[in-house]
Amino acid sequence: MNASIVIPTRNRPGDLRRCLAAIARQGTDREYEVVVVDDGSSPPVDPSAASGTRVLRLDGRGIGMARNAGLHAASGDVVVFADDDVEPDPGWLEALLSFLDRHPGDVGVEGPVWSPPYDPLRARSVEVSSPGTYRGCNVAYRREVLERIGGHSPDVPRQGEDLDLGLRALELGPIGWEPGMRVTHRPRSLSFRDLAARSKDAPMEVALLRRHRHRPYFARTRRVPAY
């Protein structure tokens, strides 16, 4: 089993360098490729600076469509989604592929996201310690499953793409949890634009609830996890 690691990015050259350096330190003999999808960075990502990767160039279509472009370009049996601002542990890739080897009925697998301490009033980060969020910064799916469900939907509001994709994938089988599939997400200072974007979360939650009300997930959680 081999993998394609898809990383969407936009105007974060420093973060992208750290992410790619962490991926280069993976302790695995598996074959894998890295596909960086530059969604309108200015200046564009320099392919020579992203050594050993394929770089695709888009024009600012959004993270869901950037991940779809990476999916279409992927050749691996497993498509692994990671964001440019995470740093995977050295055992990350081997852990997720070994999990899928052991659980052939699972359509995908997710793992924990750890963050150093931060002030949520002044910074933003991502923390995941239990299954069921399907965050796009640390989740993998069998490529055939993503192709069957059509990848990310263009009709889902911002910040809801990951959960929507996971819920649609669950229709085909379970998504596992692998503690060894860990990444670190570095806190980022909040700008005024970031604070304003938080006001869009409520419409996103309503849209997802309407879209997936019939699914057992919502009977279990009764709400959309905060993104």
Side-chain angles (χ1 to χ4, degrees):
M1 182 182 294
N2 55 18
S4 296
I5 303 170
V6 174
I7 307 170
T9 189
R10 181 181 171 92
N11 294 330
R12 293 177 179 174
D15 287 338
L16 180 61
R17 282 194 296 270
R18 286 187 288 271
C19 178
L20 293 175
I23 290 174
R25 293 191 292 268
Q26 292 302 296
T28 183
D29 293 327
R30 312 266 191 162
E31 292 185 6
Y32 68 92
E33 65 175 355
V34 180
V35 181
V36 171
V37 185
D38 178 10
D39 192 28
S41 294
S42 180
V45 171
D46 181 357
S48 65
S51 178
T53 72
R54 297 168 61 191
V55 178
L56 308 179
R57 175 74 173 171
L58 299 183
D59 53 4
R61 302 179 195 177
I63 194 166
M65 297 304 97
R67 290 190 180 121
N68 279 352
L71 166 62
H72 295 324
S75 61
D77 305 311
V78 174
V79 176
V80 188
F81 292 122
D83 285 350
D84 58 4
D85 54 359
V86 302
E87 298 169 43
D89 283 6
W92 170 74
L93 185 60
E94 181 61 37
L96 72 89
L97 290 174
S98 294
F99 179 94
L100 292 174
D101 280 338
R102 298 193 308 270
H103 300 86
D106 284 20
V107 300
V109 59
E110 60 180 328
V113 181
W114 179 81
S115 174
Y118 66 99
D119 182 350
L121 296 178
R122 295 182 173 85
R124 177 187 179 276
S125 194
V126 176
E127 296 179 278
V128 177
S129 59
S130 58
T133 59
Y134 319 123
R135 296 300 296 257
C137 63
N138 192 25
V139 67
Y141 297 98
R142 300 186 192 274
R143 182 160 59 93
E144 61 183 359
V145 169
L146 293 176
E147 290 174 345
R148 283 182 62 184
I149 64 177
H152 286 77
S153 172
D155 302 324
V156 177
R158 176 185 176 274
Q159 299 292 341
E161 308 99 331
D162 300 343
L163 181 56
D164 173 75
L165 184 71
L167 292 176
R168 288 187 288 120
L170 282 173
E171 295 291 297
L172 302 181
I175 297 171
W177 172 261
E178 171 49 61
M181 180 186 168
R182 193 181 89 145
V183 303
T184 296
H185 189 283
R186 299 294 174 187
R188 183 182 305 280
S189 297
L190 284 170
S191 65
F192 177 79
R193 182 178 180 181
D194 295 327
L195 292 170
R198 286 182 169 180
S199 65
K200 300 179 182 179
D201 286 351
M204 177 272 292
E205 293 183 1
V206 171
L208 281 178
L209 183 58
R210 288 174 176 170
R211 188 180 179 92
H212 297 289
R213 186 188 302 274
H214 65 288
R215 301 183 192 274
Y217 178 92
F218 282 104
R220 184 172 72 247
T221 64
R222 298 185 181 276
R223 68 181 301 273
V224 178
Y227 265 59

